[in-house]
Amino acid sequence: MRQTFDETTDRSFGPRHVPLIRAAMARQGLDGFLVPHEDEHQNEYLPAANDRLAWATGFTGSAGAAVILKDKAAVFVDGRYTLQVRDQVDAGLFEIRDLVEGGVPAYLEAAAGRGQKIGYDPRLHSPDALAQLRSAAAKAGAELTPVNDNPLDLAWGAERPAQPVAPVVPHPAEVSGEDSAAKRARVGAAVAGKGADAAVLTAPASIAWLFNVRGGDVIRSPLPLGQAILSKDGSARLFLDPAKVTPELPAWLGNQVRLETPDELPAALAELKGQSVLVDPAQSSAWYFDTLQAAGAKVIRGEDPCALPRACKNAVEIEGTRRAHARDGAALTRFLHWLATEGQANPPDEITAVRKLEGFREATGALKDLSFDTIAGAASNGAIVHYRPTERLNRRAEAGSLLLVDSGAQYLDGTTDVTRTVAIGEPTAEMRQRFTLVLKGHLALAAVRFPPGTTGSALDALARHALWMHGLDYDHGTGHGVGSYLGVHEGPQRISKAPNTVALKPGMILSNEPGYYKEGGYGIRIENLQVVTPAEPIPGGERPMHGFETLTLAPIDRRLIDRDLLSAAERAQLDAYHARVREVIGPQLEPEVRTWLDKVTETI
């Protein structure tokens, strides 16, 4: 589980590997090939065997793409990875372009030649993305051509790592809160309600949740790679590599679940001829749509039927995540104490800070993995929203600067994600003002009450209001969903400027993470996780209102707060939060750390 800091790729990957890919393309009569970051399961974090973009280009970020033509190539990343891509990719071989502004379609329209055949692997692209790419290629007079044998995989050859075969293990009722048969029955009923006879499930998180299993095929997420076909009566066929099947798994799954191998999946899809089949175009690749349509099934496009029920945690899962956050909060508080003592006297570099924090989490004895690679940004590196320290980029914190640490952990009973920004030495007046504006937004979102049917988009401005009033803003979302010992990023709910039609419902866990980033200077983010509470009456009100219960418990650096910018109500809210931190976290701490915690959480 130890986080690594040496990159697994280097700038020579492109020069060494692109000629091999072009040779494989030529053997198939292709003039170009599309290389997405996504794998067959649309994972955010990829097994080494599926990280095709990294092997082709050297770029290891979690979002991106590449286009390799006969005589030119381009790699596409978003603003989070502007520095990383230039550090990892040979700019003499790959043109570096923006993934969001125009992206791959605009490049194809301009760079593809008339009559060219541009290959793609239908297992790696969503049908909606392909439609846009196909239209762009057509404007250039080129044609997108599906391939059965991925030329990149052929070029990778024997050096390609083996597919992961981590054991798939039961996720017991004391942490899942509902048995698989009950889940399958209610999700099957929802499938029937969509007019479908069955649903094809390809998202690893849905497989894990629906069958109450966990795996280890994907770093930072306890996910098994596989597929399933769920019938409307709640019976299912689950496709797993036999090497992953543990002796206890068949009995755990029960008689209504038939275990099969991935090689049997195409035949199983063909058996759905004449049936109506629900498939999520955002989660399942074009290959599933093509295969089902060729078999004579009626494809119904719709959201993964596990997504919404998975997002609405039950009482057992919520209590589990409370325990996980209490445990994690104690580890984080020990780290913050270390930063406030040894770290102030001898400011650490980013990698030292990351390793120290992970050590405190490992000492709990309950850590299964990190929930993502820790972001630790000192000074100007903190202004890079998704910065990740490497041996080449590692920077030491300095007196008069800020250190932003965004981290999380996977425990059997819950997943955590928390950000704290800490002053190293004496902060400037500007740092304190900007931090306090971010805090005001964080407090507003934590305290809001809202009626049933409200979406995260309707709440987003609360977190930005104080910043907006000073002409400031941040360019990332305010909140993402979080799983229960699953992925740290989970839909369908979110809090952001972007429109979202999914109403916030009880049991949904979301982050609350406004921020501010001064390019070349410093970064500020304050992040807690919070769970949507049931709608309840407000004294004197007319309608019941939802709210949030804050799950994350760790002190917020009071040295960075300008008290005069907080209202009396905001000061009381912060004091109440810190009192809860002392109550829950304090008894877990050693006397020296407990004394420090009591001091740094005194009333403001």
Side-chain angles (χ1 to χ4, degrees), residues 425-440:
E426 186 65 27
T428 67
E430 180 189 270
M431 290 173 179
R432 296 176 70 241
Q433 184 235 20
R434 303 293 160 91
F435 183 91
T436 308
L437 296 178
V438 172
L439 177 61
K440 288 170 73 71

Side-chain angles (χ1 to χ4, degrees), residues 125-132 134 280-282 284-287 289 301:
H125 298 266
S126 74
D128 292 344
L130 273 180
Q132 190 177 14
R134 189 173 285 113
D280 186 344
S284 300
S285 70
W287 180 84
F289 291 81
R301 289 180 168 227

